[in-house]
Short mmCIF file of all heavy atoms in Angstrom, two decimals:
data_model
loop_
_atom_site.label_atom_id
_atom_site.label_comp_id
_atom_site.label_asym_id
_atom_site.label_seq_id
_atom_site.Cartn_x
_atom_site.Cartn_y
_atom_site.Cartn_z
N ARG A 74 27.22 2.22 -20.98
CA ARG A 74 28.66 2.46 -21.00
C ARG A 74 28.96 3.91 -21.36
O ARG A 74 29.80 4.56 -20.73
CB ARG A 74 29.35 1.53 -21.99
CG ARG A 74 30.86 1.74 -22.01
CD ARG A 74 31.57 0.85 -23.00
NE ARG A 74 32.99 1.16 -23.01
CZ ARG A 74 33.87 0.64 -23.84
NH1 ARG A 74 33.48 -0.26 -24.72
NH2 ARG A 74 35.15 0.98 -23.78
N ALA A 75 28.28 4.44 -22.38
CA ALA A 75 28.49 5.83 -22.78
C ALA A 75 28.09 6.79 -21.66
O ALA A 75 28.75 7.81 -21.42
CB ALA A 75 27.70 6.15 -24.05
N LEU A 76 27.00 6.45 -20.95
CA LEU A 76 26.54 7.30 -19.86
C LEU A 76 27.55 7.33 -18.72
O LEU A 76 27.84 8.41 -18.16
CB LEU A 76 25.19 6.78 -19.35
CG LEU A 76 24.48 7.64 -18.29
CD1 LEU A 76 24.04 8.97 -18.91
CD2 LEU A 76 23.28 6.89 -17.72
N VAL A 77 28.10 6.17 -18.36
CA VAL A 77 29.12 6.12 -17.31
C VAL A 77 30.37 6.88 -17.75
O VAL A 77 30.97 7.62 -16.95
CB VAL A 77 29.46 4.65 -16.95
CG1 VAL A 77 30.66 4.59 -16.02
CG2 VAL A 77 28.26 3.97 -16.30
N ASP A 78 30.76 6.73 -19.02
CA ASP A 78 31.91 7.49 -19.53
C ASP A 78 31.64 8.99 -19.45
O ASP A 78 32.51 9.78 -19.05
CB ASP A 78 32.21 7.10 -20.97
CG ASP A 78 32.84 5.72 -21.09
OD1 ASP A 78 33.27 5.18 -20.06
OD2 ASP A 78 32.89 5.19 -22.21
N LEU A 79 30.43 9.38 -19.83
CA LEU A 79 30.07 10.80 -19.87
C LEU A 79 30.06 11.43 -18.49
O LEU A 79 30.60 12.52 -18.28
CB LEU A 79 28.70 10.96 -20.54
CG LEU A 79 28.16 12.39 -20.65
CD1 LEU A 79 28.97 13.18 -21.67
CD2 LEU A 79 26.68 12.38 -21.06
N LEU A 80 29.44 10.76 -17.54
CA LEU A 80 29.18 11.36 -16.23
C LEU A 80 30.18 10.96 -15.14
O LEU A 80 30.28 11.67 -14.13
CB LEU A 80 27.77 11.00 -15.76
CG LEU A 80 26.62 11.46 -16.65
CD1 LEU A 80 25.29 11.01 -16.07
CD2 LEU A 80 26.63 12.97 -16.84
N CYS A 81 30.88 9.86 -15.33
CA CYS A 81 31.68 9.32 -14.22
C CYS A 81 33.17 9.19 -14.51
O CYS A 81 33.99 9.52 -13.63
CB CYS A 81 31.13 7.93 -13.82
SG CYS A 81 29.40 7.94 -13.29
N VAL A 82 33.56 8.69 -15.65
CA VAL A 82 34.97 8.39 -15.90
C VAL A 82 35.83 9.65 -15.76
O VAL A 82 35.58 10.66 -16.42
CB VAL A 82 35.15 7.77 -17.30
CG1 VAL A 82 36.64 7.69 -17.67
CG2 VAL A 82 34.53 6.38 -17.35
N GLY A 83 36.80 9.60 -14.90
CA GLY A 83 37.72 10.71 -14.68
C GLY A 83 37.23 11.74 -13.69
O GLY A 83 38.02 12.53 -13.16
N LYS A 84 35.91 11.76 -13.43
CA LYS A 84 35.36 12.82 -12.56
C LYS A 84 35.50 12.48 -11.09
O LYS A 84 35.70 13.37 -10.25
CB LYS A 84 33.88 13.07 -12.87
CG LYS A 84 33.60 13.65 -14.24
CD LYS A 84 33.70 12.61 -15.32
CE LYS A 84 33.39 13.10 -16.68
NZ LYS A 84 33.66 12.10 -17.73
N PHE A 85 35.43 11.19 -10.76
CA PHE A 85 35.34 10.84 -9.36
C PHE A 85 36.69 10.55 -8.73
O PHE A 85 36.87 10.79 -7.53
CB PHE A 85 34.36 9.69 -9.18
CG PHE A 85 32.94 10.14 -9.37
CD1 PHE A 85 32.31 10.00 -10.60
CD2 PHE A 85 32.26 10.77 -8.35
CE1 PHE A 85 31.02 10.46 -10.79
CE2 PHE A 85 30.96 11.23 -8.53
CZ PHE A 85 30.34 11.08 -9.75
N TYR A 86 37.68 10.05 -9.49
CA TYR A 86 39.01 10.03 -8.90
C TYR A 86 39.53 11.46 -8.80
O TYR A 86 40.34 11.79 -7.92
CB TYR A 86 39.96 9.10 -9.65
CG TYR A 86 40.60 9.63 -10.90
CD1 TYR A 86 41.63 10.56 -10.84
CD2 TYR A 86 40.20 9.18 -12.16
CE1 TYR A 86 42.24 11.04 -11.99
CE2 TYR A 86 40.80 9.64 -13.31
CZ TYR A 86 41.82 10.59 -13.22
OH TYR A 86 42.41 11.07 -14.36
N SER A 87 39.04 12.35 -9.70
CA SER A 87 39.38 13.77 -9.59
C SER A 87 38.79 14.36 -8.32
O SER A 87 39.44 15.15 -7.62
CB SER A 87 38.86 14.54 -10.81
OG SER A 87 39.48 14.11 -11.99
N LEU A 88 37.54 13.97 -8.00
CA LEU A 88 36.91 14.44 -6.77
C LEU A 88 37.65 13.92 -5.55
O LEU A 88 37.90 14.67 -4.59
CB LEU A 88 35.45 13.99 -6.75
CG LEU A 88 34.62 14.34 -5.51
CD1 LEU A 88 34.73 15.82 -5.16
CD2 LEU A 88 33.17 13.95 -5.71
N PHE A 89 38.03 12.64 -5.56
CA PHE A 89 38.83 12.11 -4.46
C PHE A 89 40.16 12.86 -4.33
O PHE A 89 40.63 13.13 -3.22
CB PHE A 89 39.12 10.62 -4.70
CG PHE A 89 38.24 9.71 -3.90
CD1 PHE A 89 37.66 8.60 -4.49
CD2 PHE A 89 38.00 9.93 -2.56
CE1 PHE A 89 36.84 7.75 -3.77
CE2 PHE A 89 37.19 9.08 -1.82
CZ PHE A 89 36.60 7.99 -2.43
N SER A 90 40.76 13.20 -5.47
CA SER A 90 42.03 13.93 -5.45
C SER A 90 41.84 15.31 -4.84
O SER A 90 42.67 15.78 -4.04
CB SER A 90 42.60 14.04 -6.86
OG SER A 90 42.76 12.77 -7.45
N PHE A 91 40.78 15.99 -5.24
CA PHE A 91 40.45 17.29 -4.66
C PHE A 91 40.31 17.17 -3.14
O PHE A 91 40.87 17.98 -2.38
CB PHE A 91 39.15 17.80 -5.28
CG PHE A 91 38.58 19.03 -4.63
CD1 PHE A 91 38.89 20.29 -5.11
CD2 PHE A 91 37.72 18.93 -3.53
CE1 PHE A 91 38.35 21.43 -4.50
CE2 PHE A 91 37.19 20.06 -2.92
CZ PHE A 91 37.51 21.31 -3.41
N LEU A 92 39.58 16.16 -2.69
CA LEU A 92 39.35 15.98 -1.26
C LEU A 92 40.62 15.61 -0.51
O LEU A 92 40.82 15.97 0.65
CB LEU A 92 38.27 14.92 -1.03
CG LEU A 92 36.87 15.30 -1.54
CD1 LEU A 92 35.94 14.09 -1.49
CD2 LEU A 92 36.31 16.46 -0.74
N PHE A 93 41.52 14.87 -1.19
CA PHE A 93 42.80 14.53 -0.58
C PHE A 93 43.62 15.80 -0.34
O PHE A 93 44.19 15.99 0.74
CB PHE A 93 43.57 13.56 -1.48
CG PHE A 93 44.83 13.03 -0.87
CD1 PHE A 93 44.82 11.85 -0.14
CD2 PHE A 93 46.04 13.69 -1.03
CE1 PHE A 93 45.99 11.36 0.42
CE2 PHE A 93 47.21 13.21 -0.48
CZ PHE A 93 47.19 12.03 0.26
N GLY A 94 43.70 16.66 -1.35
CA GLY A 94 44.41 17.92 -1.18
C GLY A 94 43.77 18.81 -0.14
O GLY A 94 44.46 19.47 0.66
N PHE A 95 42.44 18.82 -0.11
CA PHE A 95 41.70 19.59 0.88
C PHE A 95 42.03 19.10 2.29
O PHE A 95 42.33 19.89 3.18
CB PHE A 95 40.19 19.44 0.61
CG PHE A 95 39.32 20.32 1.45
CD1 PHE A 95 38.86 21.54 0.96
CD2 PHE A 95 38.93 19.95 2.73
CE1 PHE A 95 38.03 22.35 1.72
CE2 PHE A 95 38.12 20.74 3.50
CZ PHE A 95 37.66 21.95 3.00
N GLY A 96 42.00 17.78 2.47
CA GLY A 96 42.30 17.21 3.78
C GLY A 96 43.72 17.47 4.22
O GLY A 96 43.99 17.73 5.40
N ALA A 97 44.67 17.40 3.27
CA ALA A 97 46.07 17.65 3.61
C ALA A 97 46.26 19.09 4.08
O ALA A 97 47.00 19.36 5.05
CB ALA A 97 46.95 17.38 2.40
N ALA A 98 45.58 20.03 3.44
CA ALA A 98 45.68 21.43 3.86
C ALA A 98 45.09 21.64 5.24
O ALA A 98 45.65 22.39 6.07
CB ALA A 98 44.97 22.33 2.84
N LEU A 99 43.97 20.97 5.54
CA LEU A 99 43.38 21.08 6.87
C LEU A 99 44.34 20.55 7.94
O LEU A 99 44.48 21.13 9.02
CB LEU A 99 42.07 20.31 6.94
CG LEU A 99 40.86 20.89 6.22
CD1 LEU A 99 39.62 20.05 6.53
CD2 LEU A 99 40.63 22.34 6.60
N GLN A 100 45.00 19.43 7.62
CA GLN A 100 45.95 18.86 8.58
C GLN A 100 47.12 19.82 8.83
O GLN A 100 47.59 19.97 9.97
CB GLN A 100 46.45 17.52 8.07
CG GLN A 100 45.38 16.43 8.13
CD GLN A 100 45.70 15.27 7.21
OE1 GLN A 100 46.74 15.22 6.56
NE2 GLN A 100 44.80 14.31 7.16
N MET A 101 47.58 20.49 7.76
CA MET A 101 48.66 21.44 7.94
C MET A 101 48.21 22.63 8.79
O MET A 101 48.95 23.10 9.66
CB MET A 101 49.16 21.93 6.58
CG MET A 101 50.43 22.78 6.69
SD MET A 101 50.88 23.63 5.18
CE MET A 101 49.67 24.95 5.16
N MET A 102 46.99 23.11 8.56
CA MET A 102 46.48 24.24 9.32
C MET A 102 46.33 23.88 10.81
O MET A 102 46.65 24.69 11.69
CB MET A 102 45.13 24.69 8.73
CG MET A 102 45.28 25.30 7.34
SD MET A 102 43.74 25.26 6.36
CE MET A 102 42.72 26.40 7.26
N ARG A 103 45.87 22.66 11.08
CA ARG A 103 45.76 22.22 12.47
C ARG A 103 47.13 22.08 13.11
O ARG A 103 47.33 22.42 14.28
CB ARG A 103 45.01 20.88 12.52
CG ARG A 103 43.54 20.97 12.18
CD ARG A 103 42.89 19.60 12.15
NE ARG A 103 42.99 18.95 13.45
CZ ARG A 103 43.48 17.73 13.65
NH1 ARG A 103 43.93 17.03 12.62
NH2 ARG A 103 43.51 17.21 14.86
N ALA A 104 48.10 21.55 12.34
CA ALA A 104 49.45 21.41 12.88
C ALA A 104 50.06 22.77 13.20
O ALA A 104 50.71 22.96 14.23
CB ALA A 104 50.32 20.65 11.89
N GLU A 105 49.85 23.75 12.30
CA GLU A 105 50.38 25.09 12.53
C GLU A 105 49.77 25.71 13.78
O GLU A 105 50.45 26.37 14.57
CB GLU A 105 50.11 25.98 11.31
CG GLU A 105 50.95 25.63 10.09
CD GLU A 105 50.58 26.47 8.89
OE1 GLU A 105 49.48 27.09 8.91
OE2 GLU A 105 51.36 26.49 7.93
N GLN A 106 48.46 25.50 13.97
CA GLN A 106 47.79 26.08 15.12
C GLN A 106 48.31 25.49 16.43
O GLN A 106 48.43 26.18 17.44
CB GLN A 106 46.28 25.86 15.01
CG GLN A 106 45.48 26.56 16.10
CD GLN A 106 44.05 26.09 16.15
OE1 GLN A 106 43.79 24.90 16.01
NE2 GLN A 106 43.13 27.01 16.36
N ARG A 107 48.62 24.19 16.41
CA ARG A 107 49.07 23.52 17.63
C ARG A 107 50.58 23.53 17.80
O ARG A 107 51.09 23.01 18.78
CB ARG A 107 48.57 22.08 17.63
CG ARG A 107 47.06 21.98 17.76
CD ARG A 107 46.64 20.57 18.02
NE ARG A 107 45.25 20.50 18.43
CZ ARG A 107 44.70 19.51 19.11
NH1 ARG A 107 45.46 18.49 19.48
NH2 ARG A 107 43.44 19.52 19.43
N GLY A 108 51.29 24.08 16.83
CA GLY A 108 52.74 24.09 16.93
C GLY A 108 53.36 22.73 16.76
O GLY A 108 54.46 22.46 17.26
N ALA A 109 52.68 21.82 16.05
CA ALA A 109 53.17 20.47 15.83
C ALA A 109 53.87 20.37 14.48
O ALA A 109 53.73 21.25 13.62
CB ALA A 109 52.01 19.47 15.89
N SER A 110 54.61 19.30 14.29
CA SER A 110 55.33 19.08 13.03
C SER A 110 54.40 18.45 12.00
O SER A 110 54.02 17.28 12.14
CB SER A 110 56.54 18.17 13.26
OG SER A 110 57.11 17.80 12.02
N PHE A 111 54.04 19.21 11.00
CA PHE A 111 53.18 18.69 9.94
C PHE A 111 53.94 17.73 9.05
O PHE A 111 53.43 16.68 8.68
CB PHE A 111 52.63 19.84 9.10
CG PHE A 111 52.01 19.39 7.81
CD1 PHE A 111 50.76 18.77 7.81
CD2 PHE A 111 52.66 19.59 6.60
CE1 PHE A 111 50.17 18.35 6.62
CE2 PHE A 111 52.08 19.18 5.40
CZ PHE A 111 50.84 18.55 5.41
N VAL A 112 55.17 18.06 8.69
CA VAL A 112 55.92 17.26 7.72
C VAL A 112 56.12 15.84 8.22
O VAL A 112 55.86 14.86 7.49
CB VAL A 112 57.28 17.91 7.41
CG1 VAL A 112 58.12 16.99 6.52
CG2 VAL A 112 57.07 19.26 6.73
N ARG A 113 56.54 15.68 9.46
CA ARG A 113 56.78 14.35 10.00
C ARG A 113 55.48 13.53 10.04
O ARG A 113 55.45 12.38 9.64
CB ARG A 113 57.37 14.46 11.40
CG ARG A 113 57.74 13.13 12.03
CD ARG A 113 58.24 13.32 13.45
NE ARG A 113 59.34 14.29 13.49
CZ ARG A 113 59.83 14.80 14.61
NH1 ARG A 113 59.30 14.45 15.78
NH2 ARG A 113 60.83 15.65 14.58
N PHE A 114 54.41 14.17 10.54
CA PHE A 114 53.13 13.47 10.63
C PHE A 114 52.60 13.10 9.24
O PHE A 114 52.17 11.97 9.00
CB PHE A 114 52.10 14.34 11.35
CG PHE A 114 50.69 13.88 11.16
CD1 PHE A 114 50.20 12.78 11.85
CD2 PHE A 114 49.84 14.54 10.27
CE1 PHE A 114 48.89 12.34 11.66
CE2 PHE A 114 48.55 14.11 10.08
CZ PHE A 114 48.07 13.01 10.78
N PHE A 115 52.64 14.04 8.30
CA PHE A 115 52.07 13.81 6.98
C PHE A 115 52.87 12.76 6.22
O PHE A 115 52.29 11.92 5.52
CB PHE A 115 52.04 15.13 6.20
CG PHE A 115 51.25 15.07 4.92
CD1 PHE A 115 49.89 14.77 4.95
CD2 PHE A 115 51.86 15.32 3.70
CE1 PHE A 115 49.16 14.72 3.76
CE2 PHE A 115 51.13 15.29 2.53
CZ PHE A 115 49.78 14.98 2.55
N ALA A 116 54.19 12.79 6.35
CA ALA A 116 55.02 11.77 5.69
C ALA A 116 54.70 10.38 6.23
O ALA A 116 54.60 9.41 5.46
CB ALA A 116 56.50 12.09 5.89
N ARG A 117 54.53 10.28 7.54
CA ARG A 117 54.17 8.98 8.12
C ARG A 117 52.79 8.54 7.63
O ARG A 117 52.58 7.37 7.33
CB ARG A 117 54.20 9.09 9.65
CG ARG A 117 54.03 7.75 10.37
CD ARG A 117 54.46 7.84 11.82
NE ARG A 117 53.69 8.83 12.54
CZ ARG A 117 54.22 9.89 13.16
NH1 ARG A 117 55.53 10.09 13.14
NH2 ARG A 117 53.46 10.74 13.82
N ARG A 118 51.87 9.47 7.54
CA ARG A 118 50.52 9.17 7.06
C ARG A 118 50.55 8.67 5.62
O ARG A 118 49.85 7.72 5.25
CB ARG A 118 49.66 10.43 7.18
CG ARG A 118 48.20 10.25 6.82
CD ARG A 118 47.46 11.54 7.14
NE ARG A 118 46.09 11.52 6.66
CZ ARG A 118 45.07 11.00 7.32
NH1 ARG A 118 45.27 10.43 8.50
NH2 ARG A 118 43.85 11.03 6.82
N LEU A 119 51.39 9.28 4.79
CA LEU A 119 51.50 8.86 3.39
C LEU A 119 52.14 7.49 3.28
O LEU A 119 51.74 6.68 2.42
CB LEU A 119 52.32 9.89 2.61
CG LEU A 119 51.67 11.26 2.40
CD1 LEU A 119 52.65 12.20 1.71
CD2 LEU A 119 50.38 11.16 1.60
N LEU A 120 53.12 7.20 4.11
CA LEU A 120 53.75 5.88 4.07
C LEU A 120 52.76 4.78 4.46
O LEU A 120 52.77 3.69 3.87
CB LEU A 120 54.97 5.86 4.99
CG LEU A 120 56.18 6.67 4.52
CD1 LEU A 120 57.26 6.68 5.59
CD2 LEU A 120 56.73 6.11 3.21
N VAL A 121 51.90 5.07 5.42
CA VAL A 121 50.88 4.08 5.80
C VAL A 121 49.90 3.89 4.65
O VAL A 121 49.50 2.76 4.33
CB VAL A 121 50.14 4.52 7.08
CG1 VAL A 121 49.01 3.55 7.40
CG2 VAL A 121 51.12 4.61 8.25
N LEU A 122 49.50 5.00 3.99
CA LEU A 122 48.60 4.90 2.84
C LEU A 122 49.25 4.10 1.71
O LEU A 122 48.59 3.31 1.03
CB LEU A 122 48.22 6.29 2.35
CG LEU A 122 47.18 6.34 1.23
CD1 LEU A 122 45.84 5.79 1.70
CD2 LEU A 122 47.01 7.78 0.72
N LEU A 123 50.56 4.29 1.52
CA LEU A 123 51.28 3.52 0.52
C LEU A 123 51.22 2.03 0.82
O LEU A 123 51.02 1.20 -0.09
CB LEU A 123 52.73 3.99 0.45
CG LEU A 123 53.66 3.28 -0.53
CD1 LEU A 123 53.18 3.46 -1.96
CD2 LEU A 123 55.09 3.79 -0.38
#
Side-chain angles (χ1 to χ4, degrees):
R74 181 181 177 185
L76 186 67
V77 171
D78 287 347
L79 179 70
L80 300 179
C81 300
V82 169
K84 294 77 178 173
F85 288 96
Y86 81 74
S87 296
L88 177 51
F89 259 135
S90 303
F91 171 93
L92 295 170
F93 186 91
F95 187 97
L99 288 186
Q100 289 160 2
M101 188 191 75
M102 292 158 68
R103 290 176 60 233
E105 289 176 344
Q106 186 193 40
R107 292 191 168 202
S110 171
F111 167 74
V112 173
R113 183 184 306 169
F114 164 76
F115 191 61
R117 188 163 60 239
R118 185 173 172 85
L119 291 176
L120 289 174
V121 176
L122 186 64
L123 179 62

